[in-house]
Amino acid sequence: MIKKRPLNHKLVFSIFFFFLCSWISLALAQNKTIPVNVGLVLDDLDSGDGKIWLSCIKMALSDFYASHANYKTRLVLNTRDSKKSVVDAAAAAVDLIEKVKVKAILGPGTSMQAGFLINLGDQVHVPIISFSATSPSLNSVHSSYFFQFAQNDSSQVKAISSIVKAFGWRQVVPVYVDNEFGEGVIPFLTDALQEVDARVPYRSAISLSATDGQILEELYKLMTMQTRVFIVHMRTDLSSRLFAKAREIGMMTEGYVWLTTNGIPNELRSLNSSVISSMQGVLGIQTYVPQTVKLEEFMPRWKRQFQQDNPTIIGAQLQVFGLWAYDSAFALAMAVEEVGTPSFEVSQYGRKLSHALSSMRFKGIAGDFSLVDGQLQSSTFQIVNVNGGGTRVVGFWTPENGLMNTLNSTNTSFSSTSNKGNLAPILWPGDSLTAPKGWQIPANGKKLRIGVPVKVGFTEFVKITKDPSTNAINVTGFTIDVFKAAVKVLPYPLPYEFIPFAKPDGTSAGTYSDLCYQVYLGNYDAVVGDTTIRADRSLYVDFTMPYTECGVAMAVPIIDVRSKNAWVFLKPLTWELWLTTSCVFVLIGFVMWVLEHRINEDFRGTPSHQVGTSIWFSFSTMVFAQRERVVSNLARFVMIIWVFVVLILTQSYTASLTSLLTVQQLQPTVTDIKDLLRKGENVGYLTDAYVYDILKQVGFDDTKLKGFKTMEEIDEALSKGSANGGIAAVVDETPNMKLFVAKFCSKYTMIGPIFETAGFAFVFPKRSPLLPDVSQAVLNVTEGEAILNIENKWFKKGDNCEDNPTQKLSNNSLGLDSFWGLFLISGVASILSLIIFVASFLYRHKHILKHPPDSKPLTWSKIRSMFEIFDERDFNSRMFKSSQQRDGIAGNPDNIAGDANSPNNNWPESTSSFSSNHTDANFEFFGGQQTQSPGQASLELVPSTTDPAIIIAEMHTTPATAQDNN
């Protein structure tokens, strides 16, 4: 039996204590955190914004580590006050980096301060994270250690330009603070406005330290301009004074437009009621923050915490910068935890931390948090309208969809296309619901300085005279009257003054292109004159709608070209008409022969006699001298229509020939400018005109081009001619040539336009707000009676230019186009008559088609028999009946054929053969020969009736039948 030893209680206690200590040591080791120093540089921590941002950052770190208690790293904030000074901000950053050894810096508060800290961060490899610096100029440094956790100001310029485009505003004036924050966005804003065809005529930069008097001085300058659309880009400390002074001098009334970038609406809640009341009607761009559950839970919690920490600050409002500060601290804490313990060198840790920040993605309290090239990506904006004591959302904007009224449930797309109709009703300054037109002629502003060209010739367009006693300048002319008529149509007064484009001695100061360029330089507000719309000029100025005819024309002499040669009688008709008429004459002759030769003695005889008679008959109708009678009703029908056609032709021919021989026929000496070039003729043009360049492009040599200034000089040169040192033609714009020809209408005519141009128009600066209204007014003038009255006033014809019936440009010969209808009617009548005749003929002799007269092939026998019958007389016709009655044929049937040798006999020498059908009561004619030939029977005339007018011929066609009869 073994004896048990008692349990050693000390040993058990020692083992338990060992395990307990080990567990406690392990737990303590797991709960050990690593502090990481980060800097925080803010503006004036004693102010409201500084305290708000600081509280948001502290809450962000508290919330982050509360939800991630197992993380090893802990951010330790080291706060410095920059006191709104760039130098103090830089000093604070240096102190944090050198003494505290911070791994990153949050801040600073402004773009100017951030610009200094960026280079510092690059040198020491410390990330600089700004949640309130928004200037686009900060991105030009391209630093891998700078992170802009705020929305870049350049991201909103497209939203602003979309509003400008939607309301059709053509000119916009930016009003911005004169520092890096204000100037940074201006280039981007200008480019965006140019893309929507809006012009920036002036930039108003106001110093941050400007006094109220200086602000008023700048506002008064803006009042004298036509532009009424202003884009304000500054912080609320300066904008509050700006809008207060604008309301004071009446610039917040109806007709004005005030747009603001997001810097003002984002901080609007922090402004007092007096400032907001001075901004009534302002339209602003505001950063869109989605209303999430997380945000709704955070807002009241922040208010309670901020009030506890700052009991002396009442009514503090959290803006979007505070939300970005919260997300910035949250993102930095995540990045530091991802990098881990800062046990390696500063430069290596900084690179890893920068890489971690660049790839950070999460849903922040201000929306989706993501960086591209170190910039926060947030593309959605909401459009707000200042009304009452706050703002009202009137629409949204995104790059994909533009301006929209509402967002859909996913906050990613919109309901319709981009235009002002997709915005909710807007209350504009002056409590107006009507969108301002964006410009206005100021009552206390300057008159429009309108440049006018100085002309020596063609002063009917623009004429400048000077009163020697008062030195007053008077400008008149066609162009001036058109402009004045257009101004009267405008729905508003337009004060202006005409200023000659002249040298001190009164002569012209340059070409028309030089004058247009003065508008681009700003020396003139417009140009009124006979200025042509040209592509090269449109590069720097805009033109209204043209008010004259378009194109370049040519004026040439005219000569009398009445024909004096022996063949003038052929000229009244064209060769096509002569040929067609001859063919129709032959056709009518043939038709008349077909219809008449079987029943009309006048159309019988030898073949040559019949052809001659038919052609004679047709052509004799021209003078109605035909002696042949027309027996057939079908022929009479054809002749009625043909006589009418001949009557029209002869009368037209007579009138045209009379005009050729008696009326003066004026014709231009040349009709094609290429003929002048080919012959080497001299050509004139008006000096200081672009037509010279066109003629050079065509191929004219300088030695063949001569410039003139007055109509009298041109007339003298044209009268000499190119061979005598003058010119063969003058080339210029259609209005000038029209005026020249009107004065010398008896000597010259206008050819063309030979080149296309856009016509005369008025000149205005690029994107001038006056341009659409003046163009519309010009259209109203040119489409009405006013332009006719102005033309009649200035473009009077010369004394010898009244309409004269004996002088006109040469007429063209009569062509087939004028008579093809008559020929068509005559042809249809002829063909119809032939069809009726043939049908009747075939019907009367259908038995020949059924019973051929001989044993030859059936088809050929029928055709031959029908042609033989067609060639013979139709004794059943009324004409032959009457002839037989007169000659007593009934009493002497043997003489029916008559004497073929009689001089009065028009019948052909060939005779007919007859055949008898003994089974019928009547006998039918089917062919034969008068001279008996072998194998044929002799001719028999057997009367088949007592009527002497009807004679039937019978012939035995076979030899057997003839022998039986003998």
Side-chain angles (χ1 to χ4, degrees):
M1 181 176 182
I2 301 175
K3 185 177 180 181
K4 297 181 179 179
R5 292 181 180 182
L7 183 65
N8 191 340
H9 295 286
K10 291 183 178 179
L11 179 61
V12 172
F13 178 78
S14 297
I15 294 173
F16 174 77
F17 182 76
F18 173 78
F19 280 108
L20 179 62
C21 290
S22 299
W23 181 81
I24 293 174
S25 299
L26 181 62
L28 290 175
Q30 291 177 346
N31 290 333
K32 184 179 180 180
T33 59
I34 303 172
V36 178
N37 287 321
V38 296
L40 177 62
V41 179
L42 296 177
D43 279 343
D44 195 2
L45 288 174
D46 295 332
S47 66
D49 286 343
K51 290 182 179 295
I52 291 174
W53 298 346
L54 178 60
S55 67
C56 289
I57 293 173
K58 289 181 177 180
M59 287 191 68
L61 297 179
S62 176
D63 292 347
F64 179 80
Y65 292 119
S67 58
H68 302 87
N70 60 332
Y71 281 11
K72 296 181 180 181
T73 59
R74 293 292 185 273
L75 295 186
V76 178
L77 288 177
N78 297 269
T79 306
R80 297 289 186 274
D81 190 349
S82 66
K83 300 178 182 179
K84 297 183 178 182
S85 169
V86 174
V87 176
D88 289 341
V94 171
D95 179 72
L96 290 171
I97 293 172
E98 292 183 349
K99 295 182 179 181
V100 185
K101 307 297 182 182
V102 295
K103 306 303 180 185
I105 294 178
L106 288 170
T110 67
S111 298
M112 293 183 64
Q113 296 172 359
F116 278 87
L117 266 62
I118 291 175
N119 293 328
L120 181 62
D122 272 349
Q123 293 176 4
V124 298
H125 304 287
V126 173
I128 307 297
I129 304 169
S130 177
F131 52 82
S132 58
T134 60
S135 175
S137 62
L138 299 176
N139 302 322
S140 62
V141 182
H142 301 294
S143 171
S144 58
Y145 291 92
F146 176 71
F147 297 91
Q148 198 171 20
F149 281 14
Q151 208 169 44
N152 193 302
D153 287 336
S154 64
S155 62
Q156 61 184 316
V157 296
K158 295 289 186 179
I160 296 175
S161 64
S162 295
I163 297 176
V164 173
K165 179 182 179 181
F167 288 95
W169 297 321
R170 302 292 300 275
Q171 286 190 354
V172 177
V173 172
V175 182
Y176 56 96
V177 60
D178 190 11
N179 59 19
E180 186 174 355
F181 165 76
E183 294 175 350
V185 76
I186 296 302
F188 299 92
L189 179 61
T190 303
D191 292 342
L193 292 173
Q194 288 180 349
E195 290 179 2
V196 298
D197 202 27
R199 177 171 169 260
V200 179
Y202 177 74
R203 300 178 183 182
S204 176
I206 300 177
S207 174
L208 185 62
S209 58
T211 63
D212 289 349
Q214 292 173 330
I215 294 176
L216 281 175
E217 181 181 356
E218 186 65 23
L219 289 175
Y220 278 123
K221 184 186 298 183
L222 297 179
M223 287 185 68
T224 62
M225 301 179 182
Q226 297 179 10
T227 306
R228 289 295 180 262
V229 181
F230 307 107
I231 299 177
V232 181
H233 179 64
M234 55 184 62
R235 296 296 188 192
T236 53
D237 51 354
L238 181 59
S239 67
S240 300
R241 296 194 294 144
L242 175 72
F243 285 115
K245 293 302 177 182
R247 184 179 66 169
E248 180 181 320
I249 63 175
M251 293 185 69
M252 299 300 296
T253 57
E254 184 175 359
Y256 285 89
V257 178
W258 293 91
L259 301 176
T260 69
T261 56
N262 61 358
I264 297 175
N266 286 346
E267 301 178 14
L268 199 64
R269 292 181 180 179
S270 61
L271 302 179
N272 58 50
S273 58
S274 62
V275 174
I276 295 178
S277 65
S278 67
M279 296 175 60
Q280 296 299 300
V282 171
L283 201 63
I285 306 296
Q286 189 175 42
T287 303
Y288 174 71
V289 179
Q291 295 297 315
T292 61
V293 176
K294 186 177 181 180
L295 179 62
E296 292 177 354
E297 180 274 334
F298 172 77
M299 292 298 290
R301 187 162 58 88
W302 173 85
K303 278 193 173 183
R304 290 193 301 268
Q305 184 65 44
F306 185 81
Q307 199 63 47
Q308 292 176 5
D309 298 340
N310 304 277
T312 59
I313 300 178
I314 306 300
Q317 297 291 333
L318 180 61
Q319 308 297 342
V320 69
F321 291 109
L323 302 180
W324 287 333
Y326 182 97
D327 287 343
S328 298
F330 204 91
L332 181 59
M334 291 179 66
V336 168
E337 180 64 26
E338 181 180 333
V339 174
T341 304
S343 58
F344 29 77
E345 295 181 358
V346 175
S347 60
Q348 186 177 0
Y349 186 86
R351 285 195 297 269
K352 291 186 176 182
L353 184 58
S354 295
H355 178 74
L357 287 170
S358 299
S359 59
M360 195 64 60
R361 303 285 188 278
F362 65 93
K363 285 190 175 296
I365 200 169
D368 292 337
F369 184 93
S370 64
L371 299 177
V372 175
D373 296 331
Q375 296 183 22
L376 179 66
Q377 297 302 298
S378 178
S379 58
T380 303
F381 294 93
Q382 59 186 13
I383 316 301
V384 296
N385 185 208
V386 179
N387 291 152
T391 60
R392 178 173 57 90
V393 178
V394 296
F396 297 88
W397 182 90
T398 63
E400 298 80 10
N401 301 281
L403 293 177
M404 294 296 153
N405 197 312
T406 56
L407 290 167
N408 64 9
S409 58
T410 62
N411 294 341
T412 57
S413 62
F414 294 82
S415 57
S416 56
T417 57
S418 176
N419 57 66
K420 64 181 180 181
N422 295 322
L423 298 178
I426 298 173
L427 188 65
W428 301 96
D431 296 333
S432 173
L433 292 174
T434 303
K437 62 183 180 180
W439 67 277
Q440 184 178 341
I441 301 300
N444 57 346
K446 298 179 181 178
K447 295 181 179 180
L448 285 181
R449 292 169 50 86
I450 298 179
V452 292
V454 177
K455 298 176 66 69
V456 177
F458 293 86
T459 55
E460 287 81 359
F461 288 99
V462 177
K463 184 176 182 179
I464 300 174
T465 57
K466 187 175 182 180
D467 190 338
S469 58
T470 61
N471 289 330
I473 296 176
N474 184 32
V475 183
T476 59
F478 171 80
T479 298
I480 304 301
D481 284 357
V482 173
F483 178 76
K484 290 180 178 179
V487 170
K488 290 181 181 179
V489 178
L490 294 176
Y492 47 82
L494 183 65
Y496 59 86
E497 59 177 339
F498 293 120
I499 302 175
F501 183 52
K503 297 178 182 178
D505 59 358
T507 60
S508 177
T511 64
Y512 280 78
S513 295
D514 296 334
L515 177 57
C516 292
Y517 196 72
Q518 296 300 312
V519 176
Y520 172 77
L521 296 176
N523 296 328
Y524 295 121
D525 299 317
V527 169
V528 172
D530 49 340
T531 310
T532 306
I533 301 174
R534 299 287 295 166
D536 56 341
R537 296 171 183 171
S538 64
L539 296 176
Y540 47 87
V541 293
D542 280 341
F543 293 91
T544 64
M545 296 298 292
Y547 59 87
T548 62
E549 298 178 66
C550 306
V552 173
M554 178 171 61
V556 297
I558 51 178
I559 58 175
D560 186 4
V561 294
R562 281 181 292 181
S563 298
K564 306 272 192 306
N565 58 66
W567 302 101
V568 67
F569 65 90
L570 295 176
K571 193 172 182 180
L573 307 182
T574 62
W575 286 109
E576 292 83 0
L577 184 56
W578 277 117
L579 182 60
T580 303
T581 303
S582 301
C583 292
V584 175
F585 271 116
V586 175
L587 173 64
I588 294 300
F590 171 74
V591 172
M592 294 302 298
W593 176 80
V594 171
L595 299 178
E596 290 288 314
H597 84 284
R598 297 190 70 241
I599 61 175
N600 192 337
E601 292 291 346
D602 292 336
F603 287 87
R604 297 203 61 81
T606 61
S608 61
H609 178 81
Q610 294 183 46
V611 172
T613 300
S614 301
I615 296 177
W616 154 257
F617 179 83
S618 177
F619 279 87
S620 63
T621 56
M622 287 192 300
V623 292
F624 308 102
Q626 68 275 12
R627 62 180 178 81
E628 293 79 8
R629 293 178 299 167
V630 179
V631 178
S632 169
N633 288 330
L634 291 176
R636 291 172 177 172
F637 170 69
V638 173
M639 285 303 299
I640 290 174
I641 297 177
W642 176 242
V643 168
F644 176 74
V645 173
V646 170
L647 177 64
I648 299 299
L649 276 173
T650 55
Q651 293 297 322
S652 300
Y653 174 84
T654 302
S656 181
L657 181 61
T658 302
S659 175
L660 288 172
L661 296 176
T662 60
V663 178
Q664 185 181 22
Q665 303 295 314
L666 301 179
Q667 194 174 57
T669 56
V670 63
T671 58
D672 192 346
I673 194 171
K674 293 182 179 179
D675 293 337
L676 298 173
L677 181 63
R678 184 174 58 255
K679 296 176 181 179
E681 302 280 4
N682 295 333
V683 176
Y685 66 94
L686 294 185
T687 55
D688 299 332
Y690 70 93
V691 175
Y692 172 81
D693 297 328
I694 295 179
L695 295 174
K696 290 287 291 182
Q697 293 175 6
V698 172
F700 282 96
D701 189 78
D702 280 332
T703 59
K704 300 297 181 181
L705 298 177
K706 296 188 176 183
F708 302 95
K709 292 185 177 181
T710 66
M711 288 188 283
E712 289 72 17
E713 293 177 353
I714 297 174
D715 174 44
E716 182 180 355
L718 286 172
S719 300
K720 290 182 178 179
S722 180
N724 299 319
I727 58 176
V730 60
V731 178
D732 204 77
E733 289 162 292
T734 300
N736 288 333
M737 294 296 92
K738 185 178 179 181
L739 178 61
F740 175 74
V741 171
K743 185 172 183 180
F744 301 99
C745 65
S746 62
K747 302 170 63 176
Y748 310 107
T749 187
M750 188 175 72
I751 305 298
I754 57 176
F755 302 110
E756 292 296 330
T757 62
F760 292 164
F762 304 130
V763 179
F764 283 89
K766 275 287 188 181
R767 302 175 188 86
S768 170
L770 285 171
L771 188 68
D773 291 344
V774 176
S775 292
Q776 184 62 47
V778 169
L779 286 178
N780 293 337
V781 171
T782 56
E783 292 177 355
E785 188 179 354
I787 191 66
L788 298 178
N789 296 333
I790 297 174
E791 286 182 353
N792 293 333
K793 174 182 177 182
W794 293 102
F795 298 159
K796 295 180 180 180
K797 294 183 178 181
D799 297 336
N800 57 342
C801 291
E802 298 298 329
D803 293 336
N804 189 340
T806 63
Q807 292 187 358
K808 57 183 177 180
L809 292 180
S810 60
N811 298 323
N812 293 328
S813 300
L814 298 175
L816 184 60
D817 293 340
S818 304
F819 298 96
W820 71 267
L822 290 174
F823 291 135
L824 177 63
I825 295 173
S826 179
V828 170
S830 301
I831 294 173
L832 182 61
S833 299
L834 287 177
I835 292 174
I836 295 174
F837 172 81
V838 171
S840 175
F841 178 78
L842 293 176
Y843 179 77
R844 291 178 57 192
H845 301 89
K846 61 184 178 181
H847 64 281
I848 301 299
L849 300 176
K850 295 179 180 179
H851 305 289
D854 50 33
S855 59
K856 294 182 180 181
L858 191 60
T859 302
W860 170 249
S861 177
K862 292 178 181 180
I863 295 174
R864 175 177 175 275
S865 299
M866 294 303 293
F867 272 105
E868 289 175 349
I869 296 173
F870 175 74
D871 188 52
E872 297 300 331
R873 298 179 180 84
D874 184 2
F875 292 105
N876 289 324
S877 67
R878 185 181 50 161
M879 180 177 182
F880 287 133
K881 289 180 181 181
S882 300
S883 177
Q884 290 168 358
Q885 289 176 354
R886 288 195 308 269
D887 298 338
I889 296 178
N892 185 14
D894 293 332
N895 194 34
I896 187 170
D899 187 358
N901 297 322
S902 172
N904 295 326
N905 187 7
N906 291 327
W907 294 7
E909 296 179 359
S910 62
T911 58
S912 301
S913 60
F914 296 87
S915 173
S916 173
N917 189 341
H918 299 285
T919 61
D920 295 334
N922 297 321
F923 298 95
E924 304 289 344
F925 169 67
F926 63 89
Q929 297 295 331
Q930 180 179 3
T931 303
Q932 185 175 349
S933 61
Q936 286 184 325
S938 59
L939 179 64
E940 290 187 7
L941 297 177
V942 181
S944 62
T945 177
T946 58
D947 188 350
I950 302 177
I951 305 299
I952 304 300
E954 180 180 5
M955 180 183 69
H956 298 283
T957 59
T958 64
T961 304
Q963 177 128 16
D964 291 340
N965 291 335
N966 291 333

